[in-house]
Amino acid sequence: MTTAAEGGELGRADHGRAAGPPVDRDGELALLSAAVRDAAAGRPGLVVLDAPDGMGRTTLMNGLLFEAHAAGLRVLRADGVAAGHTAPLSTVRALLEPLSDGASRRPSARHPTAQPGEEPPRHDVLPRSDVGGSDVPHGVLDALHQVVRRAARERPLLIAVDDAHAAEPASLRFLAHVARRMAGLPVLLCVARRSGGGSPLLDEIAALPMCRVLRPLPLTPGGIGLLARRLTGRDVDDGFGAACRAATGGSPLLVTHLLTALRDARLPPTADALAALDAKALEGFRACVVRLLDGQPTTVRRAARALAVLGDGMPRETCARLAALDPGVFERCLAALGAVGLVDAQADGGTWCFAHPQVRAAAATGVSSDEKSLLHGLAARLLHESGAGVTEVAEQLRQSPESATRPWARAVLREAAREMTLQGFPDRAVELLRPCVPPGHEGTCAPELLLDLGLAESRVDPSAGAARLAVALDRLTCSQARLTALGALAGALMRSGEVSRATALIDRCREYGTDSAAAASSAQLLEAQLLLVATGHRATYSRLLASTSLDLGLPGDTAARRALLASRAVVCAARADRVAEARDAARTVLAHGTPVTDAVSTLGTAASVLLYTDRPRESAEAFRQLLDAPHVTREEAYPTLLALTAEAHARLGALGEALRTTTAALEGVTPAPATRLAALPLAVRLHTLLDQGDLAAGTALVRDLPDPLDDEAWQWNEVLCARGRLRLASDDVEGALDDLTECGRRQRAWHRTSPAVSSWWYWAGRSHLARGDRATARQLADDAIESARAAHLPCALAQGLELRAATEAARHRPLLLQEAEAVLATTSAALLLARVRVARGRALHRCGDKQAARAVLRKAWEETYALGAPALHAEAHTALLATGARPRRPVPSGVDALTRSERRVAKLADSGLTNAVIARTLCVTRRTVEVHLTAVYRKLNVAGRRELRFVLRAGDEGAPHAVGA
């Protein structure tokens, strides 16, 4: 007759099988079934289920109970963590109580092991004895064992003890006693314990020869998918199993709770849906993690709390010190957390991380806010002492306001804030520095600290930053710090639209210091900063230009004068005003300034002046030298510098180098949240893609772009121009005109009226031509030609002549295009020159001069091939075929076309050696050197030795050579 306890256990087993058999446990269940069959046949068995919490110990135990009941075994089951099982032998008495409860039992046949004439007793009385701790008299153990023997003679027996690691030592001693004396008994003893329980008696049982130790492994991605289909009834995508395993460590318990959260949220079992679960949906999952941690030893819980405070990937030594644990003990705790799927820790002692963000939240559950603050402060100190980076230390100090007021902590936070500001995250810098300046204590804080906070705040909230900087300015004593505060305050006022207050600060500069030269230098530098800051706000920029001097006669003997000279020169270049003077001023700045003595913005502005005055090769060289500086990558304007460099390469015809440079500028940037710093690189990249004829890539680039009209910054003007050109290439003429017309309006509002600054007018003219409006296109061309002639802008002039020719009758076009080609022959604008030649060749062909057209088009065909402009090359090829020519493969050109001997001679010539010295060095004749140099000049399309340096360096850096002088 089945006892009440047995019946209850059977019901529990049935409930466990309601959802189907356990996944990924076929091997373990097969072994348990075999052990049950052996016991039913009269053979003993010993099994130890060794698994971490949540890995399915109880599930396997329930499966064993089900098999045992089905095979007719009597089941005796106890749980080591049951309430009241603290007294010695309490677990054993709960286990054997069904054998001595006096309940009636069915008569059973004699067991083969019974002695002749021996009748089984109707019930056993469990022996009682005073037992203290694990010291159990042998007589008591033997008497209890006799109870088991008598019960086994009546009927095969299953003794199952779950959570044996929590049982008191006396009961474990009895289990070990029985395990050693099972020979000849139809008894299956199954003990389930937590991995790493550390009980010597359980280890002794597991070490017996007849013992089978089962260690269930984490669920596989396939098993998780099967379980997901059972629980949700929906199909699983390919990446879900791996994503769920990474978030749970493959723990069946955690997997089940995660799947339940998905089901309750009515989300499909996909990797994207798993990532979309919020904290509220994962409350059950987090509660499960809390219960898992509560069941762990105290040292493991302390280790988990330390890990939660420090965060993923922190040094293990620091984590151990924060948890106040020996390193060896901490490693074992980390392994225990990894075993239950809470932490992903590399076994080689490398990195570690929480399996899921909610695991970290659960590990910090129950810790008060004051205790968290203390722990974060201690963690910051430990990280600081271990030599961790200031960013990591500052992140801990940010969560410990009390610690942030200490001198060493303030120093760390200031350094970290500067790092954040340089990386373009001023809001993070403000968040780090605010705890150092409690409200109402600004007057007692160090003025340098107020300055740092004001510098960061001025970029996030100009009004608040200006107020903070004004307080700091009154208290600062260092002249350099005052100058920094003045510049930042002026910038904040400019961004707030208070131009008059900002310009008044220039006079205030002269109040600092008795040296008039130093005061003048400060004023000049501040004026330069005002001009540069104003370029971020159109209305402010216009008001400032109306009240400031643009004198370009300053010498470039000081950094302040060079900064002012560069800022004035770029304004003049953008307006096509005194272009020659602006170009000379930029050359003066670049000749006297270095990245060590001058600000990156000063040198970058001077290089952009050369670009805007149609000197792309000179500009590209200046940008290259600037970008070689080690600290330039940390500047906020670094993406803009890269974009201007790419534009210089594109104007030279080095399209591959332009694409590589814009790739570097846009690294980590997605189009949708693109800021004004990413606008110019996006525009240059789009223009370059269109030059290559890649409409698909261009369309994909602008698909998710924000609307440029939402931001008035001048950088978005260039995006409008590039998008208008894309729409024109896609036959959306009206859309192209909308973008290009708006771009022209905004460029005029920004005083960027030089035709060499932006090509919006050219593409607007092409759009008007596509719509049949020759008059408007002619007017745009005439305006550009007039401005370019007056300012001596050869590239813009040639582009205007090309557009003007397109508006004329066929017979008038060749002369205009011939003039454009002649103008470009003295420049380095290789791509523009090739485009003009294609247009001129077509015009000559229409006029009936096939021979001249063929010569011009063949040259353009070869140049476009060397430039890597497939769209223009195909256009030249089609036009050339129309003249009756049958072109063969293009003649190789560029650095890659040089032979080894030609490259060697070219490098020696570039180093300054004469032909005679080169001949002696290479042991060849002078005539051989001359032949090689002639081939080099032809393949590189350069006029002499002076142009070799740029071309060879561009080739060494992977840039295609730009054809043209």
Side-chain angles (χ1 to χ4, degrees):
M1 181 174 182
T2 305
T3 66
E6 293 169 40
E9 200 56 59
L10 178 59
R12 181 177 174 186
D14 285 334
H15 177 73
R17 294 178 62 87
V23 298
D24 287 340
R25 296 291 183 261
D26 295 342
E28 291 86 346
L29 291 174
L31 190 147
L32 293 175
S33 296
V36 169
R37 289 194 299 270
D38 288 344
R43 294 185 293 273
L46 178 59
V47 177
V48 172
L49 296 177
D50 188 293
D53 290 343
M55 204 58 70
R57 284 196 317 264
T58 301
T59 300
L60 289 174
M61 183 69 78
N62 287 340
L64 174 63
L65 297 176
F66 185 88
E67 294 285 347
H69 280 288
L73 273 65
R74 169 173 293 192
V75 176
L76 303 177
R77 185 178 186 277
D79 196 326
V81 296
H85 289 188
T86 57
L89 291 179
S90 56
T91 302
V92 172
R93 295 187 183 280
L95 184 70
L96 301 182
E97 190 65 27
L99 301 180
S100 61
D101 59 2
S104 60
R105 292 188 292 245
R106 295 174 298 171
S108 61
R110 288 176 54 85
H111 196 271
T113 60
Q115 297 297 325
E118 180 182 19
E119 294 295 334
R122 294 190 60 81
H123 62 88
D124 291 316
V125 178
L126 298 183
R128 298 190 176 276
S129 173
D130 294 332
V131 177
S134 60
D135 186 14
V136 185
H138 184 272
V140 174
L141 294 175
D142 189 62
L144 292 172
H145 183 250
Q146 290 302 322
V147 173
V148 173
R149 289 180 63 87
R150 285 191 291 270
R153 288 172 181 171
E154 296 180 20
R155 183 176 168 191
L157 196 63
L158 168 64
I159 301 176
V161 181
D162 200 1
D163 293 325
H165 56 274
E168 21 75 38
S171 294
L172 295 181
R173 182 165 295 281
F174 167 74
L175 293 176
H177 183 85
V178 171
R180 291 192 296 268
R181 294 165 174 79
M182 294 176 59
L185 294 178
V187 175
L188 173 59
L189 174 61
C190 181
V191 177
R193 69 167 181 175
R194 176 195 296 153
S195 295
S199 171
L201 292 170
L202 291 176
D203 293 339
E204 180 182 335
I205 294 174
L208 292 174
M210 68 178 300
C211 182
R212 300 294 300 272
V213 180
L214 298 184
R215 295 185 175 89
L217 297 175
L219 297 182
T220 63
I224 292 174
L226 175 59
L227 190 57
R229 282 189 288 271
R230 286 186 191 170
L231 288 179
T232 65
R234 307 172 74 169
D235 292 333
V236 181
D237 71 355
D238 295 338
F240 176 76
C244 190
R245 192 181 194 280
T248 60
S251 166
L253 180 64
L254 297 180
V255 169
T256 302
H257 279 81
L258 207 54
L259 292 175
T260 302
L262 278 174
R263 183 188 63 192
D264 294 344
R266 298 184 179 180
L267 294 175
T270 64
D272 292 339
L274 190 63
L277 285 173
D278 56 16
K280 184 176 181 180
L282 290 170
E283 287 180 355
F285 176 78
R286 185 170 61 251
C288 173
V289 176
V290 171
R291 290 194 298 272
L292 268 179
L293 287 172
D294 289 343
Q296 299 298 317
T298 304
T299 54
V300 176
R301 294 199 301 272
R302 284 165 51 191
R305 186 181 65 176
L307 297 177
V309 168
L310 284 167
D312 292 349
M314 288 299 169
R316 300 189 179 196
E317 298 80 5
T318 305
C319 296
R321 292 180 62 188
L322 183 61
L325 296 173
D326 179 79
V329 174
F330 178 79
E331 287 294 334
R332 291 193 290 274
C333 293
L334 196 60
L337 291 170
V340 295
L342 303 182
V343 171
D344 181 14
Q346 298 297 325
D348 59 358
T351 58
W352 65 269
C353 64
F354 283 105
H356 193 279
Q358 290 302 315
V359 175
R360 182 181 181 184
T365 300
V367 182
S368 65
S369 57
D370 291 341
E371 189 177 1
K372 282 184 180 179
S373 179
L374 291 174
L375 286 172
H376 282 295
L378 178 57
R381 189 68 182 181
L382 292 174
L383 288 171
H384 184 59
E385 292 175 354
S386 66
V390 292
T391 304
E392 297 172 351
V393 180
E395 179 59 27
Q396 298 295 329
L397 289 172
R398 185 183 63 84
Q399 302 176 72
S400 180
E402 296 82 2
S403 302
T405 58
R406 298 173 183 172
W408 70 270
R410 286 179 174 174
V412 170
L413 288 171
R414 290 181 63 189
E415 185 177 353
R418 293 191 192 103
E419 290 281 347
M420 291 293 102
T421 302
L422 288 174
Q423 293 174 15
F425 302 107
D427 52 338
R428 293 282 296 133
V430 172
E431 189 179 359
L432 292 175
L433 289 175
R434 273 183 178 160
C436 301
V437 186
H441 293 76
E442 289 84 353
T444 59
C445 291
E448 292 76 14
L449 183 59
L450 289 175
L451 173 60
D452 287 347
L453 180 55
L455 288 172
E457 277 185 331
S458 64
R459 300 192 181 188
V460 179
D461 183 352
S463 299
R468 190 89 64 181
L469 289 166
V471 175
L473 187 59
D474 292 334
R475 298 180 54 204
L476 288 167
T477 57
C478 173
S479 59
Q480 185 60 44
R482 283 199 302 268
L483 179 60
T484 301
L486 275 171
L489 177 57
L493 292 173
M494 296 285 282
R495 284 188 282 271
S496 301
E498 301 183 58
V499 181
S500 57
R501 283 187 62 192
T503 53
L505 293 175
I506 299 175
D507 296 331
R508 187 171 179 179
C509 280
R510 298 183 174 89
E511 299 175 5
Y512 297 129
T514 57
D515 187 355
S516 59
S521 177
S522 300
Q524 291 166 351
L525 187 57
L526 180 58
E527 185 178 349
Q529 291 175 345
L530 289 177
L531 280 170
L532 291 178
V533 169
T535 58
H537 299 81
R538 182 182 56 78
T540 303
Y541 184 67
S542 298
R543 288 199 298 270
L544 184 61
L545 289 186
S547 61
T548 189
S549 169
L550 294 178
D551 178 21
L552 298 176
L554 292 173
D557 54 345
T558 66
R561 287 173 177 169
R562 289 193 291 272
L564 186 56
L565 202 55
S567 61
R568 290 175 175 177
V570 76
V571 173
C572 292
R575 300 197 300 190
D577 176 27
R578 294 175 291 158
V579 169
E581 292 181 49
R583 188 187 302 123
D584 291 340
R587 287 169 175 164
T588 298
V589 172
L590 293 171
H592 293 86
T594 67
V596 177
T597 58
D598 294 69
V600 170
S601 58
T602 298
L603 301 177
T605 301
S608 65
V609 171
L610 296 176
L611 180 66
Y612 292 159
T613 56
D614 277 351
R615 295 298 184 272
R617 176 167 291 177
E618 197 175 347
S619 173
E621 178 65 13
F623 278 123
R624 186 198 63 79
Q625 294 179 1
L626 179 58
L627 292 174
D628 285 342
H631 63 282
V632 70
T633 57
R634 303 170 64 184
E635 295 287 335
E636 183 182 11
Y638 179 62
T640 301
L641 292 176
L642 287 175
L644 291 170
T645 306
E647 185 173 353
H649 284 302
R651 293 190 184 190
L652 288 171
L655 301 182
E657 183 64 19
L659 285 180
R660 284 190 288 271
T661 307
T662 54
T663 299
L666 295 171
E667 185 176 359
V669 174
T670 55
T675 63
R676 63 179 59 181
L677 289 177
L680 191 58
L682 285 167
V684 176
R685 186 172 184 84
L686 181 53
H687 276 299
T688 307
L689 291 171
L690 294 174
D691 285 333
Q692 290 187 330
D694 195 346
L695 289 181
T699 303
L701 184 65
V702 302
R703 183 179 297 122
D704 298 323
L705 270 179
D707 190 351
L709 300 179
D710 294 339
D711 192 333
E712 67 169 9
W714 66 266
Q715 291 90 339
W716 290 106
N717 302 355
E718 307 305 329
V719 175
L720 279 170
C721 175
R723 192 174 71 177
R725 181 184 174 186
L726 174 65
R727 288 179 170 178
L728 176 62
S730 304
D731 297 326
D732 180 9
V733 178
E734 297 302 325
L737 277 175
D738 289 342
D739 279 346
L740 293 167
T741 303
E742 175 62 18
C743 177
R745 185 195 68 78
R746 290 173 55 136
Q747 294 284 39
R748 287 188 290 271
W750 272 101
H751 304 269
R752 295 170 63 85
T753 53
S754 171
V757 170
S758 173
S759 59
W760 72 268
W761 56 271
Y762 175 84
W763 299 111
R766 286 290 180 182
S767 300
H768 283 295
L769 285 173
R771 201 170 61 169
D773 187 356
R774 289 178 176 267
T776 306
R778 185 180 296 115
Q779 184 61 50
L780 287 170
D782 289 342
D783 291 344
I785 291 171
E786 181 183 1
S787 178
R789 285 193 192 278
H792 302 286
L793 300 171
C795 298
L797 175 59
Q799 204 169 14
L801 289 169
E802 183 201 350
L803 179 60
R804 185 70 166 80
T807 67
E808 294 290 342
R811 66 180 181 276
H812 298 308
R813 293 179 184 178
L815 287 178
L816 288 170
L817 293 170
Q818 185 178 6
E819 181 185 358
E821 187 175 354
V823 168
L824 290 172
T826 61
T827 72
S828 304
L831 187 63
L832 179 57
L833 177 60
R835 192 167 66 208
V836 168
R837 280 178 173 154
V838 171
R840 181 171 171 243
R842 283 183 161 179
L844 289 170
H845 183 224
R846 289 192 185 96
C847 292
D849 193 349
K850 289 186 178 182
Q851 186 174 358
R854 193 177 299 148
V856 173
L857 286 170
R858 185 180 296 277
K859 195 169 186 179
W861 178 67
E862 292 177 349
E863 290 173 351
T864 53
Y865 175 80
L867 289 172
L872 190 57
H873 179 68
E875 186 179 343
H877 185 75
T878 302
L880 187 57
L881 289 176
T883 65
R886 294 295 179 266
R888 298 180 181 179
R889 294 182 60 187
V891 178
S893 61
V895 176
D896 293 337
L898 299 179
T899 65
R900 291 181 59 186
S901 299
E902 290 168 351
R903 185 186 290 268
R904 185 165 49 180
V905 170
K907 286 185 175 295
L908 292 174
D910 176 47
S911 65
L913 301 181
T914 64
N915 290 359
V917 174
I918 295 174
R920 288 197 300 270
T921 302
L922 299 179
C923 299
V924 297
T925 65
R926 185 171 178 175
R927 176 59 182 164
T928 301
V929 174
E930 293 172 353
V931 170
H932 284 328
L933 281 178
T934 300
V936 168
Y937 297 156
R938 176 178 56 79
K939 291 181 179 180
L940 299 184
N941 198 14
V942 296
R945 294 175 183 244
R946 286 188 304 173
E947 298 181 6
L948 275 179
R949 175 167 303 176
F950 177 84
V951 177
L952 291 176
R953 181 179 294 114
D956 291 340
E957 294 175 355
H961 169 49
V963 180

